[in-house]
Amino acid sequence: MTEYQCPMCEVRSPVETAAWCCPRCHGPWDLGFRASPVPRDSLPRRVNSLWRYEEALPLPAPASAAVSLGEGRTPLVPLTDTVTAKLDFLMPTLSFKDRGAVMLAELARRLKPRRVIADSSGNAGTSIAAYCARAGLDCTVYVPAGTSPKKLEQIGAHGARVELVPGDREAAAQAARSVAGDEGVFYASHVFNPYFLHGTKTYVYEIWEDLGGRLPEALVLPVGNGTLLLGAALAIDELHAQGLITRKPALLAVQAAAVAPLAFAFRAGADDIVAPSFTTRTLAEGIAIPNPPRARQILTAVRATGGSFLTVTEDQIRAAQRDLAARGLYVESTGAASWAAAGTRDLGDRTAVLPLCGAGLKSGLAAAT
């Protein structure tokens, strides 16, 4: 294995013995890993999961598919002449979080903890629970008390213990972190652990493969904690550095106007969150994160590609979800936020791919107002 690195303090620590966060600043880890080029001409002969991009992954492909559930390889479906959707809601647990969860579960399987814990508003917890079940790992998921009953049922169905935490998403995170340092506990944090980001980056590798070795002019991505966007940024940097793409697509980050701390900071020219905490609720619960721990990295990644932040209203999210359903694509409201943003003038006539990243069955159709 490689080693964890703190992007703020430059502290380094072996993966096998590291605490779940930097011991100095308590921030999230990055990973000291350099990807090798993925040979595109060999991909058709490879396993049909994200492990097909093994040169780009920080863990060697397992000898068997003991942890994999066949995640990845989701289809691209045109929505307009220039905008294409990637159907990540067709993943095994019905959300894109499976891309990162399989990496965390495989890491935990190799580290052999006594138990795995996670915190989530639903989708990440479901993914961690499913992949821990697949790997034979004991799992507990901390969730806010207001989490969708359908998501709670799914987490429990995979055999994980569900800890309902009074309060919001941040309260659930704090509850998990209070026991994350206990002996024998592996904190499968989709925010703090960089292995998750190296799983989500396969989203871009798949687009690159399916578009014949190129990427669109823009990637439109919903952003709360930024795990999909930061994974996308990793893949873009790797592909560009290896000469496998000649230009970087713009990262267009989408937030709900009701909870948009990153968009506020971006427009203020700030390097970190500067606004008072947002407390307004939003239909896009998966990106309702008032203080994302990787805020600096998200803002830097968007600016590095000449991208920007787009915000959408609750009415736009409702309309986008219903429009997608009318096209045969039933997704949850967080995933619909990107389609809502695609209709703004910021996108223009650029070619773009956006993720439909969670199934509508998880939370239902947003009520009309």
Side-chain angles (χ1 to χ4, degrees):
M1 295 181 190
T2 183
E3 62 181 3
Y4 290 133
Q5 300 176 349
C6 175
M8 296 295 294
C9 308
E10 299 184 0
V11 170
R12 297 170 182 254
S13 184
V15 169
E16 297 88 338
T17 59
W20 61 269
C21 66
C22 172
R24 185 177 299 171
C25 71
H26 307 295
W29 291 113
D30 280 350
L31 204 58
F33 169 73
R34 184 182 296 276
S36 298
V38 173
R40 189 164 61 87
D41 58 356
S42 74
L43 292 176
R45 301 185 296 276
R46 294 191 176 188
V47 63
N48 201 33
S49 76
L50 64 77
W51 292 102
R52 70 198 278 112
Y53 309 111
E54 58 183 325
E55 292 88 354
L57 298 176
L59 288 172
S64 69
V67 177
S68 177
L69 290 167
E71 60 289 324
R73 306 301 296 128
T74 55
L76 293 171
V77 174
L79 296 177
T80 71
D81 290 342
T82 57
V83 178
T84 299
K86 186 163 173 59
L87 309 191
D88 260 27
F89 70 91
L90 298 181
M91 288 284 197
T93 76
L94 310 181
S95 93
F96 86 92
K97 297 289 176 63
D98 291 357
R99 295 184 182 278
V102 67
M103 295 298 295
L104 290 183
E106 178 60 25
L107 175 62
R109 187 181 71 83
R110 298 180 190 206
L111 294 177
K112 297 180 173 58
R114 178 171 50 86
R115 67 182 180 122
V116 175
I117 66 166
D119 58 87
S120 171
S121 60
N123 284 341
T126 296
S127 291
I128 297 297
Y131 282 91
C132 281
R134 182 72 167 171
L137 297 165
D138 183 272
C139 181
T140 300
V141 182
Y142 294 79
V143 298
T147 299
S148 162
K150 295 179 181 179
K151 293 179 180 179
L152 297 179
E153 179 182 350
Q154 193 178 5
I155 293 171
H158 293 308
R161 286 184 295 278
V162 177
E163 291 284 348
L164 286 174
V165 180
D168 59 10
R169 176 68 183 81
E170 183 58 26
Q174 291 300 327
R177 292 167 196 167
S178 69
V179 298
D182 291 356
E183 185 177 356
V185 171
F186 176 76
Y187 181 27
S189 173
H190 60 290
V191 180
F192 278 76
N193 194 302
Y195 279 87
F196 194 92
L197 306 182
H198 284 270
T200 62
K201 76 182 180 185
T202 59
Y203 172 84
V204 167
Y205 274 92
E206 288 179 16
I207 296 171
W208 169 76
E209 178 185 355
D210 290 344
L211 293 183
R214 60 183 179 85
L215 292 176
E217 294 171 286
L219 294 173
V220 183
L221 299 159
V223 175
N225 276 310
T227 55
L228 184 54
L229 182 141
L230 289 173
L234 277 172
I236 290 168
D237 286 347
E238 289 169 359
L239 290 167
H240 189 263
Q242 294 159 2
L244 297 175
I245 57 173
T246 56
R247 57 165 182 78
K248 297 182 178 183
L251 293 174
L252 303 180
V254 181
Q255 294 208 287
V259 187
L262 290 161
F264 187 96
F266 181 85
R267 292 163 186 167
D271 295 328
D272 205 342
I273 300 300
V274 294
S277 294
F278 285 78
T279 56
T280 305
R281 294 181 63 84
T282 173
L283 294 169
E285 61 180 5
I287 54 173
I289 309 296
N291 294 294
R294 293 188 184 270
R296 284 181 173 271
Q297 291 175 284
I298 296 167
L299 292 164
T300 298
V302 171
R303 289 180 173 126
T305 64
S308 63
F309 276 81
L310 314 176
T311 55
V312 291
T313 67
E314 301 301 287
D315 285 344
Q316 288 174 315
I317 293 171
R318 285 189 190 92
Q321 187 188 30
R322 292 175 181 274
D323 180 67
L324 287 168
R327 296 166 181 257
L329 300 166
Y330 186 33
V331 302
E332 60 181 346
S333 49
T334 299
S338 291
W339 178 229
T344 67
R345 65 178 182 274
D346 302 82
L347 185 59
D349 59 358
R350 287 181 285 187
T351 58
V353 173
L354 58 85
L356 301 182
C357 46
L361 293 174
K362 286 173 169 282
S363 54
L365 197 63
T369 57

